[in-house]
């Protein structure tokens, strides 16, 4: 059965997957964005339906001190004896924690904190014992493990289970059982083009582990001209027919040399077979954009490629996210639209009024109908954002007593206004995206453009991808007037 990679395009890094009662569930990292850790479900591992987020309350997630690409790092999602468990790390807060739910689409518990260093925690249940395995910052002991009391968060004795195949900074451990043998997948080689997946096995979940003689079992290292790069940070799941599958992160690079990617790290899928007791990914062939494999369920057909929010904005859907925290006084949804109250912070600063959705395709269009009568210096519009220091925006402001649309660019320390034109109280704003360029339009007329390259990870660094959405700012003061987004459409 044919399917397309990535199965979750756009900013969906560090995927983790489990199966419960015949349905697959998947979660990814969110870093500085809230709500934290989006959840998806699927019957076939290719078509994923968003069902909400794990971390939706401040009692679960405090990102008030999170910088760009800090916050929530790689989670692990598991199902055991009727309960869903998710363990992750808030690197801007108190570290590792565990939350649980009976229904993953419902409310998740408040955190149970786990006192251990590092990142990338894993849970593996073997009978009545839960093993907690994690990346330690000590290069001599990069992957460590202890038994975990899931009720209290208490750990038993900690020991080292892996010192690296090639890289002393081995990360992202996940443990599985198959036919009485215990397997561990790990990520090595960093998170860019040297990224790889290595495998090890043992007779006991606590080790000792021996490495696969064919390591790495997955990497695009050494294939610099392939579109898909940086494959790694993998998780395994078995379907109802006994077929094993692997999800991992990867990137799709664009442009002439040096190549770049700006959509972020995305989620890819590949079948797994077994040879002499070791996992083999996609029969040893590279993961491609077009794949043919026996998916565990039928593909959905006849669906539109257009994604739209409700024009009335009765509520923000699960695709929307905020940076750092959602200030309830800044955002209001209702029949007239999404009402934004700009604070003094610009998009360059933490706490700016901004809500966005992932850019999930190179060729796409975002449109907004904006009603706004700004005072001098106030501004609202659409932003194309990688981080505080790398973003573009098309907005409406007032200068010299005249309402005007502007296109602003920030690329590191450089800022510029590349377009201005008069505009009415209600304006149709749009961003047309192609693989190499963003074009900015007001009322159907283009009046500025900018290269996608400068919002890429290769320029901006970090772990996220481009996010598109409305913003508002008083540029030093709180806005006297609200901006109302009457309509928003994202189309790819």
């Amino acid at each position: 059965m044919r399917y397309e990679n990535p199965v979750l395009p756009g900013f969906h890094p560090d995927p983790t997957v489990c199966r419960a009662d015949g349905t697959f569930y998947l979660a990814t990292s969110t870093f500085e964005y809230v709500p934290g850790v989006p959840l998806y479900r699927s019957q076939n591992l290719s078509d994923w339906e968003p069902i909400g987020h794990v971390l939706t309350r401040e009692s679960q997630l405090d990102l008030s001190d999170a910088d760009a690409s800090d916050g929530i790092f790689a989670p692990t999602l598991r199902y055991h004896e009727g309960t869903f468990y998710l363990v992750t790390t808030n690197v801007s807060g108190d570290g590792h924690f565990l939350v649980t739910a009976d229904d993953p689409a419902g409310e998740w518990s408040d955190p149970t904190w786990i006192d251990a260093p590092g990142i990338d925690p894993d849970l593996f249940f073997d009978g009545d014992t839960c093993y907690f395995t994690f990346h330690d910052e000590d290069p001599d002991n990069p992957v460590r493990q202890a038994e975990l009391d899931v009720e209290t968060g208490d750990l038993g004795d900690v020991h080292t289970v892996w010192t690296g195949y090639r890289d002393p900074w081995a990360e992202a451990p996940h443990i599985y059982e198959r036919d009485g043998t215990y397997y561990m997948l790990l990520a090595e080689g960093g998170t860019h083009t040297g990224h790889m997946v290595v495998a090890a096995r043992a007779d006991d979940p606590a080790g000792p582990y021996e490495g696969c003689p064919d390591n790495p079992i997955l990497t695009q290292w050494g294939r610099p001209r392939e579109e898909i790069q940086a494959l790694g940070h993998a998780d395994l799941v078995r379907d109802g027919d006994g077929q094993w599958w692997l999800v991992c992160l990867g990137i799709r690079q664009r442009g002439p040399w040096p190549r770049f990617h700006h959509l972020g790290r995305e989620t890819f899928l590949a079948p797994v077979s077994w040879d002499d007791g070791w996992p083999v990914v996609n029969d040893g062939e590279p993961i491609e954009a077009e794949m043919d494999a026996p998916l565990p369920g039928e593909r959905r057909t006849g669906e539109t490629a257009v994604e739209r929010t409700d024009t009335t904005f009765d509520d923000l859907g699960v695709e929307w996210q905020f940076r750092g925290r959602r200030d309830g006084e800044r955002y209001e949804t209702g029949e007239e639209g999404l009402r934004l109250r700009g604070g003094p912070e610009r998009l360059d600063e933490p706490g700016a009024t901004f809500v966005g959705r992932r850019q999930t395709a190179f060729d796409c269009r975002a449109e907004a109908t904006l009603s706004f009568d700004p005072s001098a210096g106030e501004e609202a519009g659409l932003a194309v954002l990688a981080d505080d220091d790398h973003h573009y925006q098309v907005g409406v402001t007032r200068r010299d007593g005249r309402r005007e649309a502007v296109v602003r660019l920030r690329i590191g320390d450089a800022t510029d206004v590349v377009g201005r034109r008069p505009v009415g109280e209600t304006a149709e704003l749009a961003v047309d995206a192609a693989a190499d360029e963003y074009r900015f339009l007001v009322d159907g007329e283009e009046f500025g453009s900018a290269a996608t390259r400068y919002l890429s990870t290769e320029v901006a660094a970090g772990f996220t991808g481009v996010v598109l959405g409305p913003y508002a700012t008083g540029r030093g003061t709180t806005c006297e007037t609200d901006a109302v987004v009457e309509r928003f459409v994202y189309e790819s």
Side-chain angles (χ1 to χ4, degrees):
M1 189 180 302
R2 187 166 294 275
Y3 69 92
E4 297 77 35
N5 268 318
V7 292
L8 278 176
F11 164 35
H12 288 100
D14 309 325
T16 177
V17 64
C18 71
R19 180 172 176 266
D21 299 326
T23 298
F24 300 98
Y25 296 89
L26 186 146
T28 71
S29 299
T30 39
F31 299 97
E32 74 267 30
Y33 285 93
V34 297
V37 186
L39 278 170
Y40 298 85
R41 67 184 168 203
S42 175
Q43 298 299 319
N44 60 23
L45 289 168
S46 177
D47 301 308
W48 291 95
E49 172 196 5
I51 59 172
H53 292 79
V54 174
L55 308 174
T56 59
R57 308 185 301 276
E58 287 193 20
S59 61
Q60 298 169 312
L61 181 59
D62 180 3
L63 295 181
S64 55
D65 295 326
D67 293 326
S69 291
D70 282 349
I72 291 296
F73 275 30
T76 295
L77 177 66
R78 295 294 181 256
Y79 179 72
H80 178 66
E81 294 184 350
T83 299
F84 289 87
Y85 295 82
L86 186 131
V87 64
T88 188
T89 312
N90 183 355
V91 301
S92 305
D94 293 326
H96 303 301
F97 63 93
L98 172 71
V99 290
T100 62
D102 297 327
D103 175 6
E107 291 288 318
W108 287 69
S109 70
D110 279 342
T112 297
W113 296 97
I114 302 168
D115 185 11
I119 57 172
D120 294 1
D122 176 66
L123 299 177
F124 174 72
F125 292 91
D126 191 44
D128 295 329
T129 303
C130 179
Y131 294 88
F132 178 81
T133 310
F134 60 98
H135 164 78
D136 197 314
E137 297 173 355
D138 180 356
D140 295 325
N141 299 280
V143 180
R144 312 198 77 195
Q145 184 189 86
E147 294 185 13
L148 171 69
D149 185 328
V150 296
E151 298 296 329
T152 65
D154 293 337
L155 292 175
D157 294 336
V158 179
H159 65 283
T160 299
V161 290
W162 187 252
T163 56
Y165 155 67
R166 185 182 292 172
D167 185 352
W169 295 98
E171 301 174 327
H174 289 306
I175 294 177
Y176 320 87
E177 184 272 334
R178 176 182 178 268
D179 296 338
T181 298
Y182 299 89
Y183 292 85
M184 182 165 55
L185 293 192
L186 305 107
E188 297 192 10
T191 60
H192 204 253
T193 53
H195 210 190
M196 64 182 70
V197 178
V198 301
R201 69 185 182 191
D203 294 328
D204 187 280
Y209 283 87
E210 62 166 323
C212 175
D214 294 323
N215 274 333
I217 64 168
L218 175 64
T219 187
Q220 291 291 72
W221 184 83
R223 299 188 180 100
R225 295 190 179 276
E226 296 284 343
E227 172 193 353
I228 298 170
Q229 294 290 331
L231 294 172
H233 201 115
D235 199 5
L236 292 177
V237 68
R238 183 164 45 183
D239 68 24
D241 297 323
Q243 168 71 46
W244 289 78
W245 297 86
L246 174 144
V247 294
C248 66
L249 68 80
I251 63 176
R252 291 180 289 167
Q253 290 190 319
R254 284 293 186 269
W257 299 95
R259 300 173 75 191
F260 65 94
H261 73 286
H262 60 289
L263 300 191
R265 298 179 296 167
E266 306 173 291
T267 293
F268 291 76
L269 173 72
V272 173
S273 55
W274 297 83
D275 183 20
D276 195 27
W278 291 106
V280 178
V281 181
N282 198 36
D283 292 329
E285 298 297 322
I287 294 178
E288 304 283 356
E290 297 285 338
M291 299 283 287
D292 199 356
L295 294 175
E298 293 297 321
R299 292 294 316 277
R300 296 198 300 251
T301 59
E303 295 196 357
T304 178
V306 178
E307 302 175 56
R308 298 176 185 268
T309 61
D310 292 336
T311 56
T312 57
F313 278 102
D314 290 334
D315 197 6
L316 288 170
V318 295
E319 70 270 29
W320 293 97
Q321 52 189 358
F322 303 82
R323 302 187 75 230
R325 63 187 296 266
R326 176 177 180 172
D327 185 341
E329 296 181 356
R330 301 270 188 99
Y331 308 89
E332 182 181 345
T333 56
E335 291 185 359
E336 63 179 357
L338 172 63
R339 183 176 291 274
L340 301 177
R341 171 62 57 89
E345 305 89 354
R346 297 167 172 83
L347 284 176
D348 312 335
E349 302 167 289
T353 302
F354 170 76
V355 56
R357 52 147 301 139
R358 297 163 179 83
Q359 182 181 343
T360 57
F362 295 109
D363 297 301
C364 64
R365 181 181 175 95
E367 301 177 358
T369 302
L370 178 71
S371 177
F372 187 42
D373 186 18
S375 299
E378 298 179 352
E379 185 175 310
L382 275 180
V384 184
L385 187 142
D387 62 22
D388 299 340
D389 298 330
H390 301 83
H391 51 83
Y392 306 148
Q393 57 215 79
V394 52
V396 174
T397 187
R398 186 177 293 277
R399 186 174 68 113
D400 298 332
R402 185 181 72 167
R403 187 187 299 110
E404 67 177 13
V406 296
V407 174
R408 297 185 187 276
L409 312 181
R410 174 160 185 180
I411 304 168
D413 293 332
T415 61
D416 198 7
V417 174
V418 297
R420 296 184 185 274
R421 55 157 292 174
V423 71
E425 186 171 342
T426 298
E428 299 291 339
L429 308 179
V431 178
D432 258 339
D436 61 350
E437 184 182 49
Y438 292 105
R439 298 167 50 241
F440 303 98
L441 302 92
V442 170
D443 298 332
E445 294 187 13
E446 180 181 345
F447 73 121
S449 64
T452 56
R453 176 183 295 275
Y454 301 115
L455 301 188
S456 70
T457 298
E458 287 75 10
V459 173
F463 301 131
T464 61
V466 168
V467 175
L468 306 163
Y471 74 95
T473 174
R475 300 179 64 82
T477 62
T478 298
C479 285
E480 298 177 2
T481 306
D482 290 350
V484 178
V485 182
E486 298 176 354
R487 164 184 164 273
F488 180 93
V489 175
Y490 173 83
E491 181 175 0
S492 60

